Amino acid sequence: MWALLSLAIGSFGIGMTEFVVLGLLPNIAAELRPEQWAASQEETIGQAGWLVSLYALGVVVGAPTIAGSVARFPRRAVMIGLALSLTVFNALTFLAPTFELVAASRFLAGIPHGAYFGIGALVAADMLGPGKRAKGVAFVLTGLTVANVVGVPFGTYLGQQYGWRTSFIVVTAIFALATIAIAVFVPYHPGQPGRTLRAELSVFRVGQVWFSLGIGAVGFGGFFAVYSYIAPMVTHVAGMTEGFVPIVLIIVGLGMTVGNIVGGYLADRDLKAWLIRGLIAMAIVQSLLALTAGWFVALCLFAFAVGFTGAALSPTIQTRLMDVAGDNQSIAAALNHSALNMGNSLGAFLGGLVIALGWGYVAPAWVGAALALGGLVVTVVAFRVEASRRTGTTIPTAA
C-alpha cells in the first residue's frame, strides 16, 4: 500500500502542476505581459493558454521517447529518475523571470509526465494482479484526480493571494517528497531486458494503436477546451468574483475523482460500450454547459459533469491502448498520456483561439462538444475496422 501511495503522491504533483495553471492564467498573464494585459485581457489570456499547450506538447514528445528508451531498465529506478526530473523542471518554472522562459520550463516539465504515469500504471497493475488492469490504472490516476479536488484549488488560492509562483514552490516540494517516497517504499520491479527503443516503436505499426491515440487526442480535447478556460468562464460569463474560481475547480475535481473510479469499473466490465457512451455524454454536457454557463448554479453542475466524463474516459482509453499494443506495454501505457495531452494541447489552443477571435468565454464549451463528437467518430470507425478484420469482410463505402 505504501508503494502505491508513493506513486500516487507523484501523480498528485503532476495533477497539480498541469492544472493549477488553468486557474491562474489571468494572474500569470497580468504579471508576465503587463502592457498587453492593459490593452486586451482577452487576447492576453488566450496567449497565456499557450503555457497549457506547451506543457501538453512536452508530454506528447516525452512519453513515447522516454518509455521506449527505458523499457529494459528496472522500473523502480526509472520512476525515481522521473520524479527527480519533475522536481527540477518545476523548480525552473517558479524561478523563470520572463514569459518565454516560463513557457520553456512548462515544456520541460511535461516531458517526464507520460512516462511517469505509463510506467507507474504498469507497476500498479502488476501489484493488483490479473483482471484488474483498469483499476490499477485508475489507482495511479487517483493522485491526479485528488489533486483537482485539493491541490489545484489550494494552489489557485495560494497563487491568487501570494503570487502564482508560490504555487509552483509547493508543487516542487511535492515532487521532492514523491522522489524520496518512491526510493524508500517501491520495491524492485524488473523491466523488460532486451527491449530496445526500436522494438518498442514497432507499436506504431499497429493500426488500432493509431485509432486509440486519435480517440484520446480528439475526444479528450473536448475536456481541456473547457477546463483550460474555466477561470474566465466563472468571472466573465457567470459574473462571479475571482474567489469563486477555486470553488468551481473543487467541483470539477470531485467530478474527476468520481469519474476516474467509475471509469475504471466500467472499462473492466465493457470497455467498448463505455467508450462510446462516455464520448456521447461528454458532448451533451459540454453543450448544456455552453447554454447555461451564465447561471452559476448550472455552471457548477455541468462543470462537475465535464470533470466526471473526462476522467471516466482516461482509464478506458489507456486500457484500450494496452489491449491493442501486444508486447509493447511500456510504451503503450505512456502513449495514452501523449494522446490525452495532444487533446490538452488541441483543446487549449482551440479554446484560446475562439476567445482571442472575440467569440466569448463560453465558446470553448462548443469547441469541447465538437471535439467529443469527433472522438466518437474515430471510435466508431476503429471498432468497425477491427470487426471487419476479424470477420474477413471489408467496410462498405458509399457509391
Side-chain angles (χ1 to χ4, degrees):
M1 179 56 69
W2 285 105
L4 293 176
L5 180 60
S6 300
L7 297 174
I9 291 173
S11 66
F12 179 94
I14 289 177
M16 188 169 176
T17 191
E18 181 174 16
F19 298 127
V20 76
V21 174
L22 309 182
L24 295 174
L25 278 182
N27 308 79
I28 296 172
E31 179 187 322
L32 297 179
R33 293 287 178 88
E35 295 182 359
Q36 187 179 11
W37 176 262
S40 173
Q41 293 187 12
E42 282 193 4
E43 183 179 349
T44 313
I45 290 175
Q47 290 186 7
W50 296 347
L51 298 177
V52 180
S53 297
L54 284 169
Y55 181 93
L57 288 175
V59 181
V60 172
V61 172
T65 305
I66 295 177
S69 300
V70 303
R72 64 185 184 276
F73 297 116
R75 288 170 179 162
R76 174 179 174 272
V78 171
M79 295 301 294
I80 293 172
L82 292 171
L84 182 60
S85 298
L86 287 161
T87 305
V88 173
F89 293 147
N90 279 278
L92 293 178
T93 297
F94 74 76
L95 292 172
T98 66
F99 180 84
E100 290 75 16
L101 290 176
V102 169
S105 74
R106 296 308 294 157
F107 175 79
L108 291 173
I111 289 176
H113 172 130
Y116 183 96
F117 273 119
I119 297 172
L122 291 175
V123 173
D126 287 349
M127 288 181 180
L128 291 182
K132 297 181 179 179
R133 292 197 305 164
K135 293 183 180 67
V137 172
F139 189 95
V140 176
L141 291 172
T142 296
L144 186 151
T145 57
V146 171
N148 283 278
V149 179
V150 180
V152 174
F154 171 71
T156 301
Y157 173 80
L158 200 64
Q160 290 173 345
Q161 298 300 314
Y162 303 104
W164 65 268
R165 295 178 190 273
T166 309
S167 301
F168 286 94
I169 295 175
V170 174
V171 167
T172 302
I174 292 170
F175 282 125
L177 175 62
T179 304
I180 296 170
I182 292 170
V184 173
F185 295 112
V186 174
Y188 174 81
H189 198 282
Q192 295 176 287
R195 296 296 295 180
T196 64
L197 176 59
R198 182 178 180 180
E200 287 290 310
L201 290 178
S202 65
V203 73
F204 291 110
R205 299 175 185 171
V206 182
Q208 285 297 323
V209 166
W210 285 103
F211 278 121
S212 298
L213 292 175
I215 295 167
V218 180
F220 207 73
F223 169 75
F224 282 105
V226 167
Y227 197 28
S228 299
Y229 301 98
I230 196 70
M233 191 176 293
V234 171
T235 56
H236 290 73
V237 179
M240 309 302 289
T241 64
E242 189 179 62
F244 283 88
V245 174
I247 296 174
V248 177
L249 291 174
I250 290 173
I251 293 171
V252 176
L254 288 171
M256 293 178 69
T257 302
V258 177
N260 180 58
I261 296 170
V262 173
Y265 172 77
L266 293 174
D268 278 331
R269 290 194 63 185
D270 192 337
L271 187 148
K272 291 184 177 180
W274 168 240
L275 190 52
I276 290 174
R277 293 167 185 168
L279 287 165
I280 293 173
M282 179 181 285
I284 292 172
V285 298
Q286 295 270 25
S287 300
L288 292 173
L289 174 63
L291 293 171
T292 62
W295 182 31
F296 182 68
V297 173
L299 187 150
C300 291
L301 174 64
F302 291 115
F304 177 92
V306 168
F308 178 92
T309 54
L313 285 169
S314 183
T316 309
I317 296 171
Q318 177 147 349
T319 305
R320 172 67 178 174
L321 260 171
M322 294 165 68
D323 286 345
V324 301
D327 295 331
N328 307 293
Q329 292 294 295
S330 292
I331 194 169
L335 278 173
N336 176 57
H337 296 279
S338 284
L340 299 187
N341 279 274
M342 288 178 194
N344 186 340
S345 182
L346 179 64
F349 171 76
L350 293 178
L353 178 62
V354 294
I355 291 173
L357 289 173
W359 294 0
Y361 289 110
V362 77
W366 291 115
V367 171
L371 288 173
L373 292 176
L376 177 64
V377 171
V378 177
T379 302
V380 172
V381 171
F383 291 164
R384 290 192 65 191
V385 169
E386 185 176 55
S388 68
R389 289 183 176 177
R390 287 178 178 175
T391 59
T393 60
T394 58
I395 298 176
T397 58

